[in-house]
Amino acid sequence: MDRLSNSVRPYAWGSTTAIPALLGVAPTGEPQAEMWMGAHPGAPSRITRAEASAEQPLTEVIAADPARELGAAAVEKFGPRLPFLLKLLAAGSPLSLQVHPNLDQARAGYADEERRSVPIDAPHRTYKDTNHKPELICALTPFEGLCGFRRPLEAAEAMEGLGVDSLKPYADLLRAQPEEAALREVLTAILTADPDEMAETVTAAAAAAERLGGDYAPYARIAHHFPGDAGVIAAMLLNYVRLQPGEALYLGAGVPHAYLDGLGVEIMANSDNVLRCGLTPKHIDVPELLRVVRFEATDPGVLRPEASSAGEELYETPVDEFRLSRFDLSPGAAPADLSAATPQILLCTAGAPKAGDLGLAPGESVFVPAGERVHASGAGTLFRATVVA
């Protein structure tokens, strides 16, 4: 197996302290939003093989011998690439309110923009690749987020409770229409409203939320970071979720969501396809967004891991590109056999466990090629990322 050297992404929404605290290093004062582990071309992990004289990007190592690194079954199913990206994600302020396409939508959208010769790095480009982007976030600290539409009547009551006259038309629509039509019409109205009028509405709503506190406090905090942004009102259509450490959320295609605050382990299919609804200065493609969003009220579905007799605690999801589980290792216990026919990344988040002969500290990780024997021992917590092949 190979110890990974990983990049930290300094996105503006990142916490300045959460990842340094986990790593046991001093903060730099700059945001440290995500530590990436895997073979994403934008920031691949690096390894040093015994036969190499210097670090190599994991992308190049896999490309040189996909069958050896990933296993024949994974290559046949996903192609000659690692199909997931594992992250430490540390939100110090809200991420953009967003949604991801399904596989067919991603392929069609990418092909359309290619036909229209939209540059891949253009700010208004929506589809960066042909893949979908399901994802799972598992909390390491108390973690706040928005996930999926809540029932229209609940959203109407929340808007009415602020006592802001300009929100009344949205509340009326939510009460008057069937669920799908209500959610579609109100989100459309919010995203296409006159920007100056919407800014006034957001300012009034934020002041009321600040005054009322309680269930309104998250929206006051969101508005503090994004004053005047229509996404503040759109956020009131969604379920507010607070995860405790060890709990997780699965975000499938078409489900609007945003992470607000906290540190977690995130895993996703390797894709950069994001359609934004608000809480961002970036491009919002309203027609495409409305085509992709699933306008249905859902329970956010907080996940808790299911333990096996072997000590593995699995977070069940309906996708094959990734599989995330956790091992809480106790001192003196028999080593846990983590050997698999699929590629793996093991991430330590607590304690000082060992993967094979490699000792790991919090935030450190290793890549285990398919079929390689590996046992975990010692005391600490290991997250295991792999695929279903």
Side-chain angles (χ1 to χ4, degrees):
M1 74 191 74
D2 306 283
R3 191 183 297 274
L4 295 178
S5 175
N6 303 307
S7 299
V8 175
R9 313 294 275 180
Y11 304 134
W13 49 261
S15 167
T16 59
T17 58
I19 289 179
L22 182 73
L23 299 178
V25 300
T28 64
E30 299 298 319
Q32 298 190 40
E34 296 180 345
M35 176 185 285
W36 287 17
M37 291 156 278
H40 188 289
S45 299
R46 298 171 303 282
I47 67 172
T48 302
R49 284 276 168 90
E51 63 269 21
S53 59
E55 281 190 338
Q56 298 172 276
L58 188 56
T59 44
E60 294 181 6
V61 174
I62 291 172
D65 195 344
R68 174 192 171 191
E69 306 297 337
L70 306 178
V75 172
E76 181 177 359
K77 190 167 188 175
F78 305 111
R81 61 187 181 89
L82 189 68
F84 66 81
L85 177 64
L86 184 67
K87 301 178 181 180
L88 282 172
L89 183 147
S93 60
L95 283 68
S96 61
L97 187 60
Q98 60 189 255
V99 69
H100 305 303
N102 63 32
L103 198 53
D104 289 340
Q105 290 164 340
R107 289 170 175 167
Y110 182 86
D112 174 64
E113 290 187 310
E114 288 290 284
R115 278 195 302 271
R116 293 189 284 116
S117 300
V118 181
I120 198 71
D121 58 351
H124 61 286
R125 174 94 186 208
T126 298
Y127 293 97
K128 310 292 188 181
D129 52 68
T130 59
N131 203 17
H132 62 167
K133 194 172 180 280
E135 58 192 41
L136 176 78
I137 184 79
C138 177
L140 295 178
T141 67
F143 193 97
E144 295 178 83
L146 304 170
C147 178
F149 288 111
R150 56 181 170 179
R151 290 181 298 173
L153 292 183
E154 291 179 2
E157 290 170 1
M159 290 182 179
E160 291 164 345
L162 289 171
V164 175
D165 289 344
S166 52
L167 289 177
K168 188 175 185 303
Y170 303 138
D172 289 345
L173 276 174
L174 288 166
R175 290 186 178 281
Q177 299 283 354
E179 178 179 287
E180 181 178 351
L183 295 171
R184 180 182 292 276
E185 288 188 30
V186 172
L187 183 62
T188 303
I190 290 170
L191 297 181
T192 58
D194 177 86
D196 292 333
E197 293 179 2
M198 177 54 67
E200 292 181 7
T201 296
V202 172
T203 299
E210 182 74 34
R211 183 180 69 255
L212 293 168
D215 290 343
Y216 289 105
Y219 308 106
R221 294 198 301 273
I222 293 170
H224 172 75
H225 291 287
F226 293 95
D229 194 302
V232 176
I233 307 304
M236 298 189 71
L237 298 174
L238 307 187
N239 297 296
Y240 169 76
V241 185
R242 184 174 175 85
L243 301 177
Q244 295 305 312
E247 296 180 333
L249 285 176
Y250 171 73
L251 292 312
V255 177
H257 61 278
Y259 302 145
L260 304 179
D261 184 74
L263 175 67
V265 174
E266 185 184 40
I267 190 168
M268 62 180 60
N270 240 339
S271 173
D272 293 318
N273 288 327
V274 176
L275 292 97
R276 296 174 177 87
C277 319
L279 310 183
T280 179
K282 295 182 179 180
H283 174 65
I284 298 177
D285 184 342
V286 175
E288 185 65 10
L289 172 72
L290 297 175
R291 191 178 73 84
V292 167
V293 170
R294 287 166 44 197
F295 288 99
E296 59 183 33
T298 59
D299 185 296
V302 174
L303 296 176
R304 296 170 183 85
E306 298 184 10
S308 73
S309 58
E312 182 179 31
E313 298 179 321
L314 175 65
Y315 293 91
E316 290 278 5
T317 65
V319 296
D320 291 345
E321 284 88 347
F322 60 76
R323 180 184 186 276
L324 186 69
S325 59
R326 186 182 67 185
F327 289 82
D328 286 321
L329 304 169
S330 302
D337 187 357
L338 276 61
S339 306
T342 50
Q344 303 181 72
I345 292 177
L346 306 179
L347 166 66
C348 172
T349 58
K354 294 179 70 175
D357 294 329
L358 295 179
L360 298 176
E364 293 185 334
S365 55
V366 296
F367 173 71
V368 185
E372 184 167 320
R373 300 286 297 174
V374 57
H375 288 79
S377 59
T381 300
L382 279 180
F383 278 83
R384 176 198 212 182
T386 185
V387 302
V388 179

